[in-house]
Amino acid sequence: DTEVTQTPKHLVMGMTNKKSLKCEQHMGHRAMYWYKQKAKKPPELMFVYSYEKLSINESVPSRFSPECPNSSLLNLHLHALQPEDSALYLCASSLQQGGSYNSPLHFGNGTRLTVT
Amino acid sequence: GQQVMQIPQYQHVQEGEDFTTYCNSSTTLSNIQWYKQRPGGHPVFLIQLVKSGEVKKQKRLTFQFGEAKKNSSLHITATQTTDVGTYFCAGPQGAQKLVFGQGTRLTINP
């Protein structure tokens, strides 16, 4: 079980659809992340929010739009995706941003996204 | 930027055999973290090493951090089928983010 909850678990969407991924944590963590993971690859950082402000955007295409409504919630809005965007999307949180001491990442179960 | 290299990419062992994965960084790390991802699952934090030369054990798992804080290893003694998965090392890049190694995928023949 994970303390970071992601919904939905699976999502199939067409290239013209608009959908949103949701993530929630109640551990009091102040940093939240979106990662993308392709099969047999490591997680690839997309966005980082620290204290509810976007602090890192890893040059992600604008068809991915993150949102942090409050310190416990993180959304990823999807629009006009391409088939190559199909992947496992992982949300994570940590006490503080980055890989500092005593601030490991807690991952959610992920959303397995298929773009048709 | 800083890179974290991990080898081997794959390892297949017989149940009961030992397993080791190695992680090397191009720069000195303030700490290194290890994660395990079961097939179909998500990465789960295992441990963090901070001190030069540090060795930590979790049951059959032994984690080491090199004296120069540029390399690390994870050794599993007498593997069990529950050890199956991909093991990732990860090191901080500046104060901003964590960089993951490519991972070592462990499969076990029972």
Side-chain angles (χ1 to χ4, degrees):
Chain A
D1 286 343
T2 176
E3 296 168 316
V4 178
T5 304
Q6 283 188 250
T7 56
K9 290 186 178 180
H10 301 275
L11 178 62
V12 179
M13 60 185 290
M15 289 189 283
T16 59
N17 291 159
K18 284 186 180 181
K19 296 287 184 183
S20 296
L21 309 185
K22 298 186 181 299
C23 176
E24 188 170 2
Q25 60 88 14
H26 294 288
M27 295 179 283
H29 288 175
R30 303 319 300 255
M32 296 188 77
Y33 310 76
W34 281 114
Y35 281 86
K36 173 182 177 180
Q37 188 177 30
K38 290 280 206 179
K40 300 182 182 180
K41 295 292 185 182
E44 179 185 339
L45 184 64
M46 300 174 72
F47 302 103
V48 182
Y49 274 84
S50 181
Y51 291 87
E52 302 167 44
K53 292 184 179 179
L54 183 64
S55 63
I56 294 180
N57 176 342
E58 290 285 270
S59 302
V60 179
S62 60
R63 57 185 185 268
F64 295 91
S65 175
E67 178 195 18
C68 188
N70 60 55
S71 60
S72 299
L73 295 174
L74 186 66
N75 299 321
L76 185 63
H77 303 298
L78 314 173
H79 173 55
L81 294 194
Q82 303 297 312
E84 59 264 30
D85 295 322
S86 298
L88 179 67
Y89 287 83
L90 293 161
C91 173
S93 69
S94 65
L95 195 61
Q96 301 289 343
Q97 180 178 341
S100 61
Y101 177 63
N102 248 357
S103 196
L105 298 181
H106 295 252
F107 285 90
N109 287 325
T111 294
R112 196 160 295 280
L113 174 68
T114 303
V115 181
T116 61
Chain B
Q2 175 229 323
Q3 292 187 356
V4 178
M5 309 300 293
Q6 194 173 350
I7 57 170
Q9 190 174 0
Y10 301 98
Q11 185 78 57
H12 180 77
V13 300
Q14 289 289 127
E15 187 174 14
E17 291 182 339
D18 293 357
F19 159 78
T20 305
T21 174
Y22 301 90
C23 191
N24 289 287
S25 169
S26 55
T27 59
T28 301
L29 299 169
S30 60
N31 71 87
I32 194 157
Q33 301 174 21
W34 285 91
Y35 293 78
K36 176 184 178 181
Q37 185 171 19
R38 293 180 184 273
H42 60 279
V44 174
F45 173 74
L46 293 177
I47 207 161
Q48 184 175 42
L49 304 172
V50 179
K51 298 177 183 176
S52 170
E54 188 170 15
V55 178
K56 285 189 175 180
K57 291 189 176 184
Q58 289 180 350
K59 296 183 180 178
R60 295 175 294 103
L61 278 61
T62 301
F63 303 84
Q64 294 190 19
F65 201 9
E67 294 290 341
K69 301 182 75 173
K70 285 187 173 183
N71 57 73
S72 182
S73 65
L74 158 59
H75 179 82
I76 302 178
T77 303
T79 55
Q80 300 176 359
T81 54
T82 52
D83 296 324
V84 164
T86 302
Y87 292 86
F88 293 101
C89 62
Q93 184 172 66
Q96 298 293 311
K97 59 185 181 181
L98 208 57
V99 175
F100 283 83
Q102 289 299 305
T104 296
R105 186 178 172 195
L106 173 63
T107 54
I108 298 174
N109 203 20

